[in-house]
Amino acid sequence: MAELKNDRYLKALLRQPVDKTPVWIMRQAGRYLPEYREVRAKAGDFMTLCSTPELACEVTLQPLRRFDLDAAIIFSDILTIPDAMGLGLHFVAGEGPKFNSVIQSAADIAKLGVPDMEDNLGYVMDAIRLTRREINGKVPLIGFSGSPWTLACYMVEGGSSKDFAKVKGMMFDEPKQMHALLDVLADSVIAYLNAQIAAGAQSIMLFDTWGGALSRENYQEFSLAYMQKIVSGLTREAEGRTVPVTLFTKGGGQWLELMANTGVDAVGLDWTTDIATARQRVGEKVTLQGNMDPCVLYASADRVEQEVANVLAGFGQGNTGHVFNLGHGIHPTIAPENMSRLVDSVHNISEQYHR
Ligand code: CP3
């Protein structure tokens, strides 16, 4: 395997000194890039794009050709696991993800098992292996999964939801049943992420997109406990390096200490949490990832640079412990030029904080 030429991102996650703040962006491969839309149109549908390793590899590499990013994230989706469990995932234009079968009862849950990683999800591992070859050591490759709670939200609701009526109904009425579902999901995520690491993923990100919809008590019992189990079950060393783990609960700003205590290397922040305060709360224990409001990219390029400076100043002096990112995924309608300005400003402006 080619030697890693830029390890700024991995070092910052492990709180080792770096020369500049590393930057990557959630959903950096996606619809705001015309070259993505072209490959996506050629693939026909989103799942074909995910499940064809050559195409998934191509769109993973696209943002690296345009921007001076410090990491790549394998192009896939968090909903590959429920799909591999037999739920039948498809995407309806304008409506987002949909499942053919939804989880409604204890009997539905009893039928679920941990999918076979090579038979049912081998396309993700093939995409990782191919991308590692093609990336040729330029930057590290991130593997990822949804959190059990976030996956359960889609599986019980049958798609996206605003109020989480069904999944929360199940959680409050049938907590044992919900725990059985979360258990099989946690075991699946552990097997999935360890297979990604074996295939070449050099860092892991857990997306808990809907953990923030829970009360503190329910978050601990139904989301955090399972992420804790996953963190404890992951392979943490590969190719002679530590494989760092980042946990991101959107809307989880009140629970940073709880997240930092799971044994993760980094915690992702959305833009509603002040990064300076967050650093005071957990800064020595974990690296912080984030946290510019994705909508800043709708403003002018000069305003983007100003806001990058604000986030970097918010984190402040110190030669490690910060990975720049947005507080959530990049929107499909922003101008790619603003993304260039963002990435370059992070590197240029952050140098002063690393002396
Ligand atoms: O970050 C990256 O560049 C890697 C790729 C990635 C995608 N989805 C590609 C994608 C990652 C890490 C995800 C994770 C994901 N998927 C999450 C967790 C992160 C988050 O945003 O909170 C969630 C909740 C999903 C589920 C999902 N997949 C949704 C809600 C949608 C949007 C549907 C829509 O039509 O807007 C998707 C589809 C999806 N996943 C797209 C991309 C680029 C857009 C699909 C397209 O090209 O038509």
Side-chain angles (χ1 to χ4, degrees):
M1 203 63 81
E3 202 190 322
L4 188 56
K5 295 173 193 96
N6 173 355
D7 61 357
R8 211 181 260 144
Y9 165 71
L10 295 180
K11 280 188 166 159
L13 287 175
L14 298 174
R15 305 188 52 74
Q16 295 163 7
V18 283
D19 58 340
K20 297 169 187 177
T21 304
V23 52
W24 73 280
I25 297 298
M26 292 190 266
R27 297 257 178 118
Q28 64 191 26
R31 285 170 288 188
Y32 73 105
L33 292 176
E35 59 269 35
Y36 170 85
R37 295 197 298 270
E38 204 173 293
V39 177
R40 167 80 171 72
K42 201 168 75 184
D45 65 289
F46 179 71
M47 280 311 280
T48 305
L49 177 53
C50 290
S51 60
T52 311
E54 293 71 26
L55 299 181
C57 172
E58 167 58 20
V59 296
T60 301
L61 299 178
Q62 283 175 346
L64 303 181
R65 294 186 193 121
R66 269 188 192 251
F67 315 116
D68 187 21
L69 294 156
D70 295 297
I73 179 163
I74 191 65
F75 191 82
S76 189
D77 199 83
I78 63 165
L79 301 178
T80 50
I81 288 188
D83 185 57
M85 286 175 152
L87 268 61
L89 173 66
H90 54 280
F91 284 81
V92 179
E95 286 180 54
K98 297 274 179 219
F99 287 111
N100 296 332
S101 354
V102 292
I103 301 301
Q104 289 176 321
S105 65
D108 294 340
I109 294 166
K111 280 189 239 151
L112 299 174
V114 175
D116 185 284
M117 292 305 142
E118 285 302 330
D119 288 352
N120 305 121
L121 289 159
Y123 63 89
V124 177
M125 311 317 150
D126 289 341
I128 290 175
R129 284 186 281 259
L130 179 62
T131 305
R132 274 298 301 277
R133 270 206 306 278
E134 295 291 317
I135 213 168
N136 198 26
K138 189 178 183 193
V139 292
L141 182 64
I142 307 171
F144 71 90
S145 170
S147 71
W149 167 254
T150 295
L151 295 177
C153 286
Y154 287 97
M155 292 166 80
V156 175
E157 299 289 337
S160 302
S161 171
K162 285 205 167 72
D163 52 12
F164 303 102
K166 294 185 186 130
V167 70
K168 284 194 177 178
M170 186 186 285
M171 176 183 81
F172 288 120
D173 266 339
E174 304 286 351
K176 272 205 183 120
Q177 191 176 306
M178 182 54 72
H179 280 302
L181 173 57
L182 294 168
D183 244 328
V184 69
L185 284 170
D187 290 341
S188 302
V189 170
I190 291 170
Y192 186 48
L193 291 176
N194 283 338
Q196 290 187 31
I197 293 166
Q202 292 154 292
S203 162
I204 291 297
M205 168 104 184
L206 258 181
F207 288 96
D208 185 31
T209 307
W210 302 121
L214 295 167
S215 70
R216 182 185 180 94
E217 199 186 328
N218 293 153
Y219 172 71
Q220 287 188 266
E221 181 177 346
F222 294 96
S223 188
L224 192 69
Y226 293 92
M227 297 198 285
Q228 168 83 74
K229 183 178 174 183
I230 292 164
V231 172
S232 310
L234 291 184
T235 312
R236 297 302 283 278
E237 209 42 61
E239 305 172 40
R241 274 184 179 267
T242 301
V243 180
V245 181
T246 303
L247 195 162
F248 173 56
T249 294
K250 181 155 181 292
Q254 296 185 70
W255 310 319
L256 299 181
E257 293 84 352
L258 300 176
M259 290 187 238
N261 283 332
T262 57
V264 288
D265 301 286
V267 169
L269 299 176
D270 67 32
W271 64 95
T272 63
T273 298
D274 173 58
I275 195 166
T277 319
R279 187 180 182 190
Q280 282 166 12
R281 287 164 61 194
V282 296
E284 293 306 309
K285 195 156 193 174
V286 290
T287 283
L288 293 172
Q289 176 182 284
N291 71 339
M292 192 172 93
D293 183 341
C295 289
V296 173
L297 289 165
Y298 285 122
S300 64
D302 287 345
R303 187 68 187 85
V304 169
E305 178 162 335
Q306 220 176 57
E307 201 52 36
V308 165
N310 283 342
V311 172
L312 290 170
F315 184 83
Q317 204 66 39
N319 57 13
T320 190
H322 184 204
V323 171
F324 196 99
N325 207 311
L326 299 176
H328 200 199
I330 190 165
H331 293 297
T333 50
I334 71 109
E337 297 74 42
N338 275 6
M339 173 79 162
S340 302
R341 186 67 170 267
L342 180 157
V343 173
D344 294 342
S345 317
V346 172
H347 288 149
N348 295 337
I349 300 171
S350 68
E351 261 180 308
Q352 62 186 301
Y353 296 112
H354 292 267
R355 285 189 196 121

